[in-house]
């Protein structure tokens, strides 16, 4: 076994030989024995293997396995050194790249941040050396690894690097390989987070940034959802997964790419499930955010729904949900109590449901005009809700008025700004529906989506709408001294801001949770002794 001094002697002998270095086979073999020494010997062994590897083909398999052993060393410094040295072996020997990439991909399970960065840097070097070979190794682990953490981190690595490295590494040929392999991955069972990341990778490919590519992405999402499978609303894992998957398709729907099958599924499976989810929310299972998430998704789907089955039935189903959150005005003592204690209204849900109803009823206007009793009841609810909404919006505007740009960046003020947009949208839709006959001409940008233009909600210059009354003949001139209902007094975040998808989806996976152990868990032992057929 060579010690540190002997290793330096051997290094000098081979280095000084220059073109005759391949003649020093015994000296290189002796360098390999340094792996059995102390920390100094093992670290030098790693460095010297990387330096002379290409000169000694008869020792290359042994040398490669020695480096793999050092990647699992108990000393973190030695592990990092070996990981840094691995890409060096592949210079001029691209046939090694898939094997080395496979091993580095497994090392992405490292818990130490410094080691993880070292592994990622070595993978980047491999991508620059031979992108196709590196991707072959990475996708092998993504498709076959039983370790959730390895799969997720491989996907996350590609997701982060494909845009950063750009065409210099991800050429058209390489992108084609990514596209092919990614589609294979999406055909097997993935965790929610893995699916979202893989869709993010595909989104960066040029081949997917075309109408045909958008259609393919939508079809991949549809395959994940499986519209033939009923939704079990009691399985929150499945419901969250449905929401996450559908969100991946939302950006691609248009006048040419229809959301029809998604809409049909939502009305058939999701809308009835809302009652079950609401019951869970009442039992303190905190499903309110999930319910709102599903309503937001439905609101984004309907504008591009195309021809749907039983339109009247769909409108009726949404109308019933809308009545649940748009109450009749209280009377007598209840009205006095409402004025004194405020009212609690689900503004975010109302925005979603009112937008869905407004969008669908445009193609079936007799739903309201053909039933005078229904129209009268609806107008009563609209008027009451409009009064409370306008009062609530006034309080919100006062709360954010004269705030600096920096102050408006706080979480509380961001929530209030969203609430201003929410209440503004509700008022616009109510004004349309309150016309005689109801109109469906106004368009809004849903409060959770980026504004496409128009006045700021803070500059006070946007159009102000008069309070809505029953006398629609002269809405602009009519005045009333009737006392309006008191606005809600609960926190803005609970009722006006809504909620997005829950975070921390990492634990929702095929294995029932990630196995987190020490710095390295099992590694890749048993994978040596010849190269895998890639």
């Amino acid at each position: 076994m060579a010690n540190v001094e002997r290793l330096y002697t051997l290094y000098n002998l081979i280095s000084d030989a220059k073109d005759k270095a391949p003649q020093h086979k015994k000296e290189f073999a002796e360098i390999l024995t340094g792996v059995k020494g102390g920390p100094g010997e093992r670290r030098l062994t790693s460095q010297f293997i990387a330096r002379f590897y290409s000169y000694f083909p008869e020792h290359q398999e042994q040398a490669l396995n020695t480096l793999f052993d050092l990647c699992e060393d108990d000393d973190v410094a030695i592990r990092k050194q070996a990981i840094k040295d691995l890409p060096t072996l592949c210079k001029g020997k691209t046939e090694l790249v898939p094997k080395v990439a496979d091993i580095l991909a497994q090392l992405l399970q490292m818990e130490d941040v410094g080691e993880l960065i070292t592994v990622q840097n070595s993978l980047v070097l491999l991508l620059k050396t031979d992108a196709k070979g590196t991707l072959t190794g990475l996708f092998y682990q993504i498709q076959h690894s039983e370790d959730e953490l390895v799969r997720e981190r491989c996907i996350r690595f590609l997701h982060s690097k494909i845009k950063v490295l750009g065409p210099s590494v991800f050429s058209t040929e390489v992108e084609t390989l990514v596209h092919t392999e990614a589609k294979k991955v999406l055909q097997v069972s993935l965790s929610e987070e893995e699916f979202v990341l893989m869709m993010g990778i595909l989104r960066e490919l040029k081949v997917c940034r075309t109408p045909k590519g958008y259609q393919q992405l939508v079809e991949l999402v549809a395959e994940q959802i499986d519209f033939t499978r009923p939704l079990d609303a009691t399985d929150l894992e499945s419901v969250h997964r449905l929401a996450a998957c559908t969100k991946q398709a939302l950006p691609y729907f248009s006048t040419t790419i229809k959301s029809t099958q998604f809409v049909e599924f939502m009305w058939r499976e999701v809308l009835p499930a809302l009652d079950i989810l609401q019951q869970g929310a009442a039992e303190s299972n905190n499903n309110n955010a999930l319910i709102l998430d599903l309503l937001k998704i439905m609101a984004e789907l309907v504008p591009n729904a195309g021809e749907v089955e039983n339109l009247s039935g769909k409108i009726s189903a949404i109308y019933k949900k809308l009545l649940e959150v748009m109450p009749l005005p209280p009377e007598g003592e209840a009205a006095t109590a409402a004025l004194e204690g405020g009212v609690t209204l689900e503004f975010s849900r109302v925005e979603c449901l009112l937008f869905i109803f407004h969008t669908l009823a445009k193609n079936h206007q007799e739903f309201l005009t053909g039933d005078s009793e229904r129209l009268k009841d609806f107008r009563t609810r609209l008027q009451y809700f409009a009064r409370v909404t306008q009062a609530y919006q006034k309080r919100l505007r006062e709360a954010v008025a004269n705030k600096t740009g920096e102050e408006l960046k706080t979480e509380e003020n961001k929530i209030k700004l969203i609430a201003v947009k929410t209440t503004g949208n509700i008022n616009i839709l109510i004004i349309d529906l309150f016309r005689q006959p109801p109109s469906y001409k106004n368009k809004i940008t849903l409060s959770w989506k980026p504004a496409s233009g128009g006045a700021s909600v803070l500059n006070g210059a946007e159009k102000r709408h008069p309070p809505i009354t029953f006398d629609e003949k002269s809405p602009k001139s009519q005045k009333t001294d009737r006392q309006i209902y008191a606005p809600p007094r609960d926190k803005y975040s609970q009722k006006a801001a809504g909620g997005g998808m829950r975070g921390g989806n990492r634990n929702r996976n095929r294995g029932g949770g990630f196995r987190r152990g020490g710095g390295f868990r099992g590694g890749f032992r048993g994978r040596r002794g010849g190269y895998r057929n890639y």
Side-chain angles (χ1 to χ4, degrees), residues 399-410 413 417 458:
V400 296
N402 303 318
K403 290 282 194 298
T404 65
E406 203 61 35
E407 289 174 330
L408 291 173
K409 292 179 182 179
T410 65
N413 284 325
L417 290 176
L458 294 178

Side-chain angles (χ1 to χ4, degrees), residues 202-217:
L202 288 171
R203 198 158 40 236
E204 294 297 331
L205 304 179
K206 291 180 181 177
V207 68
C208 291
R209 295 201 291 266
T210 64
K212 183 179 178 180
Y214 296 155
Q215 182 65 54
Q216 289 180 349
L217 292 177

Side-chain angles (χ1 to χ4, degrees), residues 364-372 375 437-438 440:
H364 187 62
Q365 298 185 21
E366 57 269 28
F367 180 83
L368 287 178
T369 57
D371 188 329
S372 59
L375 181 58
Y440 302 90

